[in-house]
Amino acid sequence: MNTFGMALANVHALRRRLFGLVALVTVAAAVCLGALGIADRAQGAADAGVRESSANRSITVDRPDERPDARQLTDRTAARLAKLPRVASVQPRAQASFGVLTEAGDTVLLYATTYRPALHPPVVKSVREHVFPLRPGEIVAPAKSQGVDLSGHVGEDLDIETTRFVRQGEGKGVRDRARLVGVYDPTWQLDNPDAAYAADTTVIAWAARRAGEPEDRYLSTIGYDQLTVVAETASDVPRVTKSVQELGYPAVTIQQQLDALPAVLDMVGVVGRVLLGVLGVLAFVGAVTVTGALSRQRAQEIGVLKAVGFRTRAVLTMLVTEMAVVGAVAALLGTALGAVLGGGTAALLRGRADLAPYVSGWLVLPSADALCLVLGLTVLVVATGSVVPARRAARKSPTEAMKDW
C-alpha cells in the first residue's frame, strides 16, 4: 500500500479521534464561507446597482437664468444632447408652482415636477406598487411639507390652485383637482424640498399657464428648467460631460458627489478577509494540537513502521497527508454547511425591504475563485499545522518510539 492509501486507511480508522478537528474546521469554514457569500453578494449588487446606476451615470444641465445670453433648454436642445456619443437618454425637468388645500384647511405650496427615472424619489406610501409613470391629474408629494402631514391623504382627490398669467406681475388663480397617489421621504430633496411629481403633460400645462405661453409652444420657446443626461456607463461620464460643455451648456455630474463610494463598498470585503484570517488561525492551532496528540498516542505504530524500514520522510509524509485529508473533508463539509448558513441568513435579511435587493438567491456562496481559494487554504493550513509535531514523531528511532509507548 502506498503512502496516500495508508493515510486514507488511518483517517478512517481514527475518525472518532479526528472528529473534534473536523468539527472545528468545518464550523469555522462554514461561518467564513457564509459571511463571504453574503458580503460577495451584497458587494456585487451594490457595484451593479450603485456604481452603474442611472444616478451615478447622470450629468445635470441647468439653465442659468441670471445670464442674459443663457441658452434655453428647449425640446430641440434635449434632442441635440440625446444624439451625442455614449448618451443613453436625456431626461428633462420642468417645474410649476401650485397650491394644495386640504379638507382640514391646511394650505401647502408645492412645485409640480416632471419625473426623471435617473433620480427616483423614495416613495414610502402609494395607492399601487409601481406608482410611476404617473397618469394625468396624479401627483406624488413629500410625506410632510411646511409642517403639514400629507401621508394621510394618499388616495384622495385634493383641491389645488395654479396661476394663469394675465399681464406682467399679475396672475389669476385657477382651481382644479388632483389625486394624491403617493408620498415620498421628505429628506430626499434633489429636485426641491417641496417638489411634487406629476405627469409631464400636467406639469407643462401648468407651467405654460403660469408663463402665459401656449402649451404647444412652451417647450420650443421657454423650455425646461433642467436636463439630466444619462451616459451609457459610469466610465463614459467624463467624456459625455466634456461633449455637453463644448456645446456651451453648464454641466455637473452627480458622480462627483460619489467619489468616496467605491471605497465604502470595498470595505464590505474586509469582513470576509478578517473571517478568513480567523479560520486560518483556528485550523492551524487545531492541526498542531490534534497531530501532536495523535502522534503520542500512535507511538507504537510509528515505531513498528520505522522498524520495518519506513524512512523518516515516508512517515512524515503519511502523517501530514492524513491531516491534509482531514482538512479536505472538513472543507467540503464546511462548504455545505456554509451554503445552508448563507442561505438562511439571506432569507432573514430579505425580510427587510432595504436589504432584500442585496441578498437575492438561495445559494449564497462566494465566487468560484474565492471558494476554491478558501478550500485550498483550509487544506494547506491544516496540513502545515501538522508538520512540526509530525516531524518530531517521524524522527524518533524505533527504540524511542516503542519506549514512549
Side-chain angles (χ1 to χ4, degrees):
M1 183 181 294
N2 58 29
T3 302
F4 183 73
M6 291 181 62
L8 288 178
N10 290 338
V11 169
H12 182 266
L14 299 169
R15 58 187 181 279
R16 292 184 179 180
R17 299 183 189 181
L18 295 171
F19 178 78
L21 177 61
V22 172
L24 173 66
V25 178
T26 297
V27 172
V31 173
C32 179
L33 288 173
L36 280 173
I38 294 291
D40 187 65
R41 186 65 56 87
Q43 187 169 10
D47 286 343
V50 178
R51 282 183 173 144
E52 287 299 332
S53 68
S54 56
N56 195 36
R57 294 183 283 119
S58 297
I59 302 157
T60 301
V61 182
D62 285 308
R63 181 179 60 194
D65 294 328
E66 68 279 2
R67 289 173 47 187
D69 60 339
R71 306 180 66 176
Q72 302 295 336
L73 303 181
T74 63
D75 50 358
R76 292 188 297 273
T77 302
R80 185 182 185 187
L81 295 181
K83 294 179 180 179
L84 290 175
R86 314 303 297 175
V87 170
S89 65
V90 175
Q91 302 171 13
R93 187 191 75 166
Q95 288 190 320
S97 61
F98 69 101
V100 173
L101 179 64
T102 67
E103 292 183 358
D106 297 317
T107 302
V108 182
L109 179 64
L110 299 175
Y111 292 85
T113 306
T114 52
Y115 168 67
R116 294 176 292 174
L119 300 173
H120 183 76
V123 177
V124 295
K125 184 178 181 181
S126 62
V127 297
R128 55 181 180 266
E129 183 178 0
H130 300 291
V131 69
F132 295 103
L134 296 170
R135 302 159 188 164
E138 294 182 338
I139 59 173
V140 172
K144 190 173 184 179
S145 179
Q146 299 158 36
V148 178
D149 187 355
L150 296 174
S151 59
H153 299 284
V154 173
E156 297 179 5
D157 289 331
L158 303 177
D159 290 321
I160 67 168
E161 183 175 290
T162 59
T163 303
R164 183 191 302 279
F165 177 85
V166 176
R167 60 180 61 90
Q168 188 66 32
E170 183 180 346
K172 179 182 179 181
V174 178
R175 286 295 184 97
D176 208 338
R177 300 277 287 179
R179 186 171 186 238
L180 183 63
V181 295
V183 291
Y184 66 87
D185 186 345
T187 61
W188 194 87
Q189 302 181 0
L190 289 183
D191 279 315
N192 190 302
D194 300 308
Y197 296 92
D200 290 6
T201 54
T202 302
V203 176
I204 297 303
W206 292 353
R209 182 185 299 171
R210 183 177 182 83
E213 190 78 13
E215 184 178 337
D216 58 352
R217 293 179 51 195
Y218 181 81
L219 292 180
S220 61
T221 55
I222 296 179
Y224 299 105
D225 299 295
Q226 188 182 82
L227 295 176
T228 299
V229 180
V230 182
E232 291 182 355
T233 67
S235 61
D236 292 326
V237 169
R239 187 189 318 170
V240 174
T241 303
K242 183 178 180 181
S243 298
V244 173
Q245 292 171 342
E246 287 176 347
L247 293 178
Y249 298 101
V252 178
T253 70
I254 294 180
Q255 192 181 75
Q256 293 170 349
Q257 303 173 20
L258 303 177
D259 285 341
L261 184 59
V264 175
L265 295 177
D266 291 340
M267 288 180 63
V268 178
V270 174
V271 177
R273 288 192 289 271
V274 171
L275 289 172
L276 188 60
V278 173
L279 167 62
V281 172
L282 289 175
F284 185 84
V285 173
V288 170
T289 304
V290 172
T291 306
L294 287 177
S295 298
R296 288 189 294 271
Q297 295 173 11
R298 299 167 64 192
Q300 183 187 31
E301 176 189 344
I302 295 173
V304 171
L305 290 174
K306 298 296 291 288
V308 298
F310 271 76
R311 296 180 178 276
T312 298
R313 179 178 298 178
V315 176
L316 173 62
T317 302
M318 181 189 71
L319 295 176
V320 173
T321 302
E322 291 173 4
M323 289 299 103
V325 171
V326 170
V329 171
L332 294 176
L333 292 175
T335 301
L337 182 58
V340 174
L341 290 177
T345 304
L348 292 176
L349 294 177
R350 279 194 291 271
R352 291 187 51 177
D354 54 338
L355 297 179
Y358 299 96
V359 285
S360 61
W362 292 101
L363 184 60
V364 184
L365 285 173
S367 63
D369 290 343
L371 181 59
C372 291
L373 177 63
V374 172
L375 296 181
L377 286 177
T378 301
V379 176
L380 179 62
V381 169
V382 173
T384 303
S386 68
V387 169
V388 173
R391 178 184 296 156
R392 188 182 302 119
R395 284 179 173 176
K396 291 183 179 181
S397 65
T399 304
E400 291 176 322
M402 299 298 289
K403 184 172 64 175
D404 288 343
W405 176 70

